[in-house]
Amino acid sequence: MTGPARRLVAELEPYVGDARVLGAIATVPRELFVPPGMEDRAYDNEAMSIGCGQTISQPLVVARMAALLQLMPGDRVLDVGTGSGYHAAVLATLAARVWSIERHAALSAQAAIALAAAGVHNVTLSVGDGSRGLPALAPFDAINVAAATPPDALGGLEAQLAPGGRLVAPVTGPEQRLVLSRREADGTVRRRTLEEVRFVPLVRDPEP
Ligand code: SAH
């Protein structure tokens, strides 16, 4: 681990106790996912602009969301809002395969370059509106949503969880909060509302 990566992990450790997640943060080279010229700040615990009005998420939030998903090495994961691809790379380090969808083709193309440079080969990218998930590839063991989700979009995504599957999403309301959903073995979905967060909005295309 490089010095800056070690400092970042030490900074996150008091808030994220999950050793596998901290290991993933330590191994994914975040300097490959930040905009050119920002490499010297890649291990600051901060979000940054990545173009198209979007941001690469703060490492603490990525680590916290990954820990909430309790990923297992065999898991199939859906990631909505690829952005820089950094969050997808962290998830891919913890799971078997990640399908990540982004509505800006330019960001997806850039993410593909960064993921290849990082040696992450188990992320499949696609371009489009991920607000309705990827029904053709469902069910997923875990779903990560990286854009602020209107509450009425949550059910359609939760429907794509396998039994025992988990979903984490920032959900809009009087304040934006992380919601963790779990599909129980009997098929019911339980939701927990957690801490306040700040994500860019999930932009939905009109119903086809
Ligand atoms: N996970 C990213 C940060 C994402 S910011 C990272 O690690 O860098 C949220 C992203 O969601 C933005 O890139 C935005 O374009 C994308 N987005 C917003 N609405 C979307 C939708 N309906 N489908 C797919 N992507 C969407």
Side-chain angles (χ1 to χ4, degrees), residues 50 54-57 62 79-88 101-104 107 128-131 146-147 200-204:
I50 55 170
Q54 309 302 328
T55 49
I56 175 171
S57 302
V62 172
D79 175 46
V80 178
T82 312
S84 68
Y86 175 71
H87 204 151
I101 180 161
E102 167 60 52
R103 55 186 296 278
H104 286 288
L107 292 179
D129 177 5
S131 65
V200 297
L202 183 77
V203 178
R204 290 187 283 184

Side-chain angles (χ1 to χ4, degrees), residues 48-160:
M48 285 180 209
S49 289
I50 55 170
C52 300
Q54 309 302 328
T55 49
I56 175 171
S57 302
Q58 186 190 5
L60 174 61
V61 177
V62 172
R64 167 77 173 145
M65 290 172 79
L68 288 169
L69 286 178
Q70 296 187 298
L71 296 171
M72 301 291 288
D75 281 353
R76 302 171 73 254
V77 182
L78 171 65
D79 175 46
V80 178
T82 312
S84 68
Y86 175 71
H87 204 151
V90 170
L91 299 172
T93 305
L94 296 163
R97 177 153 288 278
V98 175
W99 286 267
S100 184
I101 180 161
E102 167 60 52
R103 55 186 296 278
H104 286 288
L107 292 179
S108 185
Q110 190 54 47
I113 293 168
L115 287 163
V120 176
H121 301 299
N122 56 340
V123 176
T124 305
L125 298 177
S126 59
V127 175
D129 177 5
S131 65
R132 284 182 280 270
L134 283 178
L137 291 165
F140 297 96
D141 302 301
I143 299 178
N144 180 69
V145 188
T149 309
D152 68 342
L154 216 46
L157 292 166
E158 287 167 342
Q160 292 172 35

Side-chain angles (χ1 to χ4, degrees), residues 3-54:
R6 186 172 296 121
R7 273 198 298 282
L8 175 61
V9 168
E11 198 175 332
L12 305 187
E13 222 163 5
Y15 307 99
V16 178
D18 188 314
R20 281 190 77 227
V21 169
L22 292 174
I25 297 285
T27 47
V28 175
R30 194 166 183 261
E31 66 274 19
L32 298 175
F33 296 88
V34 300
M38 300 295 273
E39 292 85 355
D40 57 336
R41 293 178 48 194
Y43 293 91
D44 290 359
N45 183 24
E46 278 172 21
M48 285 180 209
S49 289
I50 55 170
C52 300
Q54 309 302 328

